[in-house]
Amino acid sequence: GGKYDILPPSAQAILGEYVEEGQNHGKRTYRRTPSEAQKGLGEVFIFYWDARDGKELTGWWFGDKIGGGQVWARCTASAELPPQKGWRCPVD
């Protein structure tokens, strides 16, 4: 992986702490708990999408809503919890 002196905008958009909130496609979902500086910014979720819509959409995602909307990053892993490595940001 590369190292950044300045994070790309897509990475800046998803930084923060997340709390568990519900499930999607059999795995937990998470919602960002905004810091003071992030208040007023949009919602960010981490969620898993299975192969029902094709392999190219399978994996863990950061997005502004579960299952659609704007997405900032994706990881093709199918682990039970969101992985620490393997994220593509911005989404290719």
Side-chain angles (χ1 to χ4, degrees):
K3 295 193 185 274
Y4 295 99
D5 291 328
I6 300 171
L7 288 173
S10 52
Q12 292 279 4
I14 61 178
L15 289 175
E17 292 187 27
Y18 289 77
V19 294
E20 185 179 330
E21 182 183 281
Q23 286 200 341
N24 189 65
H25 292 194
K27 299 186 192 287
R28 297 177 189 143
T29 59
Y30 303 85
R31 178 194 297 255
R32 180 172 67 186
T33 304
S35 67
E36 278 302 314
Q38 293 168 329
K39 291 208 187 303
L41 299 177
E43 298 272 27
V44 182
F45 296 90
I46 304 172
F47 63 92
Y48 181 77
W49 200 261
D50 66 19
R52 69 186 67 191
D53 293 320
K55 188 176 180 194
E56 67 279 357
L57 297 176
T58 302
W60 286 94
W61 295 84
F62 280 89
D64 67 349
K65 58 178 107 167
I66 294 170
Q70 181 175 3
V71 293
W72 294 281
R74 175 182 177 226
C75 182
T76 58
S78 60
E80 197 59 35
L81 298 174
Q84 293 183 10
K85 297 179 181 178
W87 292 92
R88 300 291 302 187
C89 182
V91 176
D92 293 344

